[in-house]
Amino acid sequence: MAQKFWVNNYFIDVSRNQIQHQQQATQLPPKALKVLEVLASRAGDVVTHEELMDIVWGKSIVGPNTLQRAIAQLRKAFGDDSKQQAFIKTHAKQGYSLDAHVRWEDNAPAQVQDQEQAPPKTNKGKRFGFYLLLFVPIFFATVIAIKSTPTRFDRLTPITASDEQEFNASYSPDGKYLVFNRFVGQCLSHLWAKDLSNNQEVRLSRAPGHYNGLSWSADGSQIALVLQSSCESLSEQPQQCWQLQTLDFASAWRGEPNNALRYDCEQTEISHPSWLNDGRIALLRHSNGPNSTPNLIIHDARTNDVVELELPIRGRLYSLDYSRATNQFATTSIADDNQHLLSRISINGELVSEAQIKRLPHHSVYDDFPIRFAPDGKRFLTEVAGQLYFLTKNGSLTLSHTDSFNGLSAPIFHPTDNKIAATQGTKDFDIGYVNLSGTTGDADVFARSTEVDANAQFQPNGTHIAFVSYRSGNSQLWLKDNNNVYQLTHFENGMRGILFSWSPQGNRLVTNVNHHITLVELDGSTSQIDTPVAVNILMPWTKTNTLLVTANINGADRLYKIDITSGETTDTGLSNVMWAAYTSSGNILYSDNQKDFWLLKDSRSIPLNALHNKLYGKRALFKNDVLLGLDADNQLWQYDITTNILTEVAQLNKDVIFVSDIRADEMLATKFIGGRRELVELTVSDSQ
């Protein structure tokens, strides 16, 4: 049997007795892995107790619970247990089955040359000079190319190992300390610092808060940060505010934090603080209007003066960084044609250079490229879909690490060494039933897995339940039919996010693949609909042969109608649309990016004032002319658009993040199960 294979996104290396997941290796006894290897070779089938005992232990005399102990060890390694049985299922009085996607690793070496064909004879003396002349320039060109190519990081080491979630790492200018956020609850955090020479950790903040953006002063004595008003009870805080504060690091390390307020409660968002060489602090101030570009302001902590620097960039700015080495700003922005631009700007606001970022083939047209300067100011780091890339000044992207590293975000270069600190982590979501006649308001999870499962929907006029799962490595459609759960689609790079919809008749599904509308039949076959727009958000399919989608045009999400029989695309005239659906009378119900709801009727948008500030999150459910959603306190509400009556339905568990379908008194919901985010360091192994 093969010595290496994959079970979902767990890598099994039998030769090393390891199961690897998210760069963490779990050692297991050889016999336990042999059991897994047998189950994997017959994935989906029941393997009897007798077969497993014969194949794995042969004629050895073992205890009566040996096989059960091996199964328990495997389940623990997969984050599974005997109750959920997400990976290995028990079949009473029969045996076990592995219900997962198995992919075997092909270790066969490529055949370079046909051994039966002898090489032709040549005159070695006459051709030696020719080969020498040919080889020397190629050799030196290769050496130069190797030297000019950044080394890929191939080793990943955890920096933190607490039970809490950590994120947002920032090295001190001398590289001795690392400051970061550590969660307290779901959205508040404390600021912590770690002495990297001896691993001592000290809490820097007196009270938990919603801290964002950390920037050290040039001498390492101060840290600038943004504090947002508490987010734990948003329903009680209709007005948010942001403060720019500075923290004296030495005092905070001694346990005497004394933050200084530099920029008082600003009622528009501020972000990306950057401490400049001259002691001033630059940051972005965001406008309240939809899709408007933020302004760069510079605050002088000595005089409290604030000046605005006009930036000569094109498009909507979304990321900013500052280089001490070059005393320059860099920004990334998205232009009207959905091209992303990298701009370098002098401290006085003059454009130094502009380059179009060259997306790689698997990148979405809607992926952003947040940037961090390298210490020398000559290149950048950016993140896309959980992986980190080097970005050159001319806009070229190169993966910075081994292909298998994923779940990475918020990278930052070490100031002196060839290493990167980043956040790594995933979240676990599951789908389940919510019984509205019950009392718990919780979701009864089905089809449990340790990956993201979300957005379950009943099949109209049928018995299937469709949902999105990442258990096979990326976003795919799965079906539940009674007790059977199986993967329906196998898109090479997955779907875009978790959005899909059944057709009104329930005979097919639709999703977004590579910004194209893709129809999926129940046998797994697919077909694309050609449209003149790059589809961003796919809306619920509530009108036969017509779909509603958004596409980003000139920085705004415009709503389009698409005829699935012809591909004809019509602009509805609506912009900044977050969610939309057809009503039974053919009108369009929609919400804007401020989460206010409107009804488009006779070419006029009518506000639904009763729903102001009612929707928390971005997901709403529309069925039979009734709109349902969750508010900030996880109260389920419904609004009948025919009677304009708003009703509170039930209090749901705090971990239910959105509801996705309803049939009679039973709803389908997505529930947060858990997650882990920790800080890691990416380095280069000695072998490179």
Side-chain angles (χ1 to χ4, degrees):
M1 288 185 181
Q3 292 292 299
K4 297 179 181 180
F5 58 98
W6 295 82
V7 175
N8 287 353
N9 60 350
Y10 288 78
F11 180 66
I12 288 78
D13 190 340
V14 178
S15 63
R16 296 185 178 182
N17 300 322
Q18 286 183 352
I19 294 181
Q20 299 172 20
H21 180 62
Q22 298 292 340
Q23 320 316 319
Q24 301 295 317
T26 302
Q27 293 291 134
L28 286 175
K31 294 296 187 185
L33 282 180
K34 187 67 174 178
V35 170
L36 178 60
E37 198 174 1
V38 174
L39 293 174
S41 69
R42 294 164 60 179
D45 295 336
V46 178
V47 184
T48 66
H49 301 99
E50 293 77 11
E51 286 180 280
L52 287 168
M53 293 298 296
D54 288 344
I55 295 172
V56 178
W57 284 275
K59 297 180 180 180
S60 301
I61 300 174
V62 295
N65 296 321
T66 301
L67 176 57
Q68 289 85 343
R69 186 163 55 251
I71 294 294
Q73 291 168 335
L74 290 170
R75 283 173 171 161
K76 183 177 180 181
F78 286 129
D80 197 6
D81 56 39
S82 59
K83 292 182 179 179
Q84 300 290 348
Q85 299 188 15
F87 283 75
I88 301 176
K89 295 197 181 309
T90 302
H91 299 267
K93 298 182 180 180
Q94 297 182 60
Y96 300 96
S97 66
L98 179 65
D99 287 6
H101 177 68
V102 176
R103 187 171 79 254
W104 300 95
E105 186 120 315
D106 184 7
N107 294 320
Q111 185 174 353
V112 178
Q113 182 178 328
D114 186 348
Q115 299 298 321
E116 295 181 0
Q117 182 178 355
K121 295 182 179 180
T122 61
N123 188 326
K124 295 181 181 179
K126 291 183 178 180
R127 297 200 176 184
F128 175 77
F130 170 76
Y131 286 139
L132 183 63
L133 291 173
L134 182 66
F135 172 75
V136 170
I138 293 176
F139 171 78
F140 282 107
T142 303
V143 170
I144 294 171
I146 291 174
K147 287 185 176 181
S148 63
T149 302
T151 304
R152 292 178 69 181
F153 299 104
D154 62 346
R155 184 167 56 193
L156 189 149
T157 308
I159 301 176
T160 55
S162 73
D163 290 332
E164 306 300 330
Q165 298 193 57
E166 294 98 4
F167 67 104
N168 196 25
S170 181
Y171 287 110
S172 60
D174 59 5
K176 181 180 179 181
Y177 295 95
L178 192 75
V179 173
F180 57 91
N181 295 67
R182 177 170 283 157
F183 267 116
V184 179
Q186 292 202 12
C187 72
L188 299 181
S189 63
H190 272 295
L191 291 178
W192 285 75
K194 186 183 187 80
D195 186 332
L196 297 176
S197 64
N198 59 19
N199 291 324
Q200 180 186 2
E201 291 187 356
V202 172
R203 198 181 80 187
L204 302 182
S205 55
R206 191 182 303 276
H210 198 260
Y211 300 105
N212 288 304
L214 303 174
S215 179
W216 291 80
S217 61
D219 61 2
S221 65
Q222 303 278 323
I223 299 173
L225 56 96
V226 171
L227 176 63
Q228 181 183 343
S229 58
S230 174
C231 63
E232 286 206 322
S233 183
L234 288 174
S235 60
E236 299 175 5
Q237 295 197 28
Q239 188 67 57
Q240 291 277 11
C241 73
W242 289 261
Q243 293 179 340
L244 173 65
Q245 297 185 359
T246 57
L247 176 149
D248 183 275
F249 180 68
S251 298
W253 182 264
R254 293 194 303 268
E256 303 169 356
N258 186 21
N259 291 18
L261 179 62
R262 300 298 184 183
Y263 197 54
D264 205 355
C265 192
E266 174 72 22
Q267 293 184 350
T268 55
E269 181 183 358
I270 55 175
S271 67
H272 295 76
S274 299
W275 213 308
L276 308 182
N277 286 339
D278 61 10
R280 296 181 299 165
I281 301 172
L283 62 159
L284 293 180
R285 180 168 59 192
H286 300 255
S287 303
N288 287 325
N291 298 297
S292 56
T293 192
N295 301 315
L296 177 62
I297 61 174
I298 300 179
H299 176 266
D300 191 325
R302 294 159 296 191
T303 63
N304 280 328
D305 290 340
V306 177
V307 297
E308 182 174 326
L309 191 65
E310 186 173 346
L311 297 177
I313 62 172
R314 295 187 293 133
R316 177 178 57 83
L317 184 155
Y318 60 82
S319 183
L320 168 78
D321 200 24
Y322 170 75
S323 169
R324 288 200 178 95
T326 62
N327 198 29
Q328 291 177 350
F329 296 109
T331 66
T332 47
S333 60
I334 181 169
D336 293 345
D337 56 359
N338 286 329
Q339 296 298 330
H340 292 256
L341 303 174
L342 170 65
S343 303
R344 290 186 300 139
I345 301 159
S346 74
I347 196 69
N348 299 317
E350 298 171 348
L351 185 65
V352 177
S353 68
E354 178 186 273
Q356 180 179 312
I357 297 176
K358 302 171 182 65
R359 287 189 297 263
L360 299 181
H362 59 281
H363 290 160
S364 165
V365 68
Y366 296 120
D367 282 332
D368 283 347
F369 299 90
I371 51 169
R372 297 301 295 259
F373 263 112
D376 60 5
K378 296 180 179 179
R379 58 175 174 157
F380 307 87
L381 271 176
T382 188
E383 61 182 90
V384 184
Q387 295 193 305
L388 310 180
Y389 294 82
F390 294 123
L391 174 63
T392 65
K393 291 184 287 187
N394 67 2
S396 298
L397 290 164
T398 307
L399 188 64
S400 69
H401 51 71
T402 303
D403 294 357
S404 60
F405 294 173
N406 52 49
L408 298 168
S409 62
I412 184 170
F413 282 102
H414 190 278
T416 58
D417 299 340
N418 186 27
K419 61 176 69 172
I420 292 172
T423 302
Q424 184 183 48
T426 58
K427 292 185 177 182
D428 183 6
F429 296 93
D430 275 319
I431 50 177
Y433 301 107
V434 176
N435 191 334
L436 295 180
S437 60
T439 58
T440 66
D442 201 1
D444 182 14
V445 171
F446 62 87
R448 167 83 178 116
S449 79
T450 56
E451 299 299 323
V452 172
D453 295 329
N455 198 18
Q457 298 176 31
F458 293 113
Q459 179 188 20
N461 308 312
T463 60
H464 291 83
I465 294 176
F467 63 97
V468 173
S469 178
Y470 284 75
R471 62 181 75 183
S472 60
N474 53 28
S475 178
Q476 303 286 349
L477 281 175
W478 287 63
L479 287 181
K480 179 181 184 296
D481 183 14
N482 296 320
N483 293 324
N484 298 319
V485 176
Y486 58 94
Q487 185 174 341
L488 179 64
T489 62
H490 298 83
F491 300 118
E492 181 179 1
N493 295 311
M495 301 159 35
R496 177 165 169 77
I498 63 170
L499 296 183
F500 75 95
S501 185
W502 284 100
S503 68
Q505 297 77 24
N507 60 332
R508 53 169 52 168
L509 302 105
V510 65
T511 187
N512 181 359
V513 179
N514 297 325
H515 308 296
H516 289 90
I517 293 173
T518 303
L519 299 174
V520 181
E521 308 300 331
L522 295 184
D523 62 1
S525 60
T526 63
S527 59
Q528 282 192 348
I529 299 174
D530 291 328
T531 64
V533 296
V535 175
N536 186 15
I537 301 174
L538 179 71
M539 303 302 174
W541 191 354
T542 55
K543 185 177 181 181
T544 303
N545 294 334
T546 304
L547 287 169
L548 292 173
V549 303
T550 62
N552 192 282
I553 306 296
N554 298 332
D557 287 316
R558 293 190 68 83
L559 186 68
Y560 291 87
K561 297 185 293 185
I562 296 178
D563 186 322
I564 66 167
T565 61
S566 64
E568 181 181 354
T569 303
T570 306
D571 190 344
T572 66
L574 299 176
S575 192
N576 300 312
V577 175
M578 183 182 73
W579 177 93
Y582 275 110
T583 68
S584 61
S585 58
N587 299 317
I588 296 178
L589 175 67
Y590 71 97
S591 68
D592 56 26
N593 289 331
Q594 285 69 49
K595 301 180 184 179
D596 287 325
F597 282 88
W598 306 77
L599 185 66
L600 181 65
K601 183 177 181 180
D602 299 328
S603 301
R604 187 169 66 93
S605 290
I606 304 169
L608 303 180
N609 295 323
L611 299 177
H612 181 66
N613 281 340
K614 287 299 292 182
L615 183 65
Y616 186 66
K618 297 182 178 181
R619 307 277 182 257
L621 169 61
F622 189 59
K623 249 338 183 20
N624 302 321
D625 283 342
V626 174
L627 183 70
L628 298 101
L630 295 175
D631 65 15
D633 297 314
N634 247 35
Q635 178 74 41
L636 177 68
W637 51 263
Q638 69 176 30
Y639 180 79
D640 190 323
I641 66 167
T642 61
T643 63
N644 296 322
I645 296 177
L646 177 66
T647 309
E648 291 188 348
V649 179
Q651 179 66 49
L652 299 191
N653 183 283
K654 64 179 178 61
D655 291 327
V656 174
I657 60 170
F658 69 92
V659 293
S660 51
D661 208 351
I662 184 171
R663 180 178 284 176
D665 284 338
E666 195 168 54
M667 300 191 72
L668 294 174
T670 299
K671 180 180 179 179
F672 174 68
I673 302 299
R676 182 171 182 81
R677 281 198 292 179
E678 62 183 1
L679 301 181
V680 295
E681 208 163 49
L682 282 73
T683 55
V684 180
S685 64
D686 295 336
S687 60
Q688 284 202 56

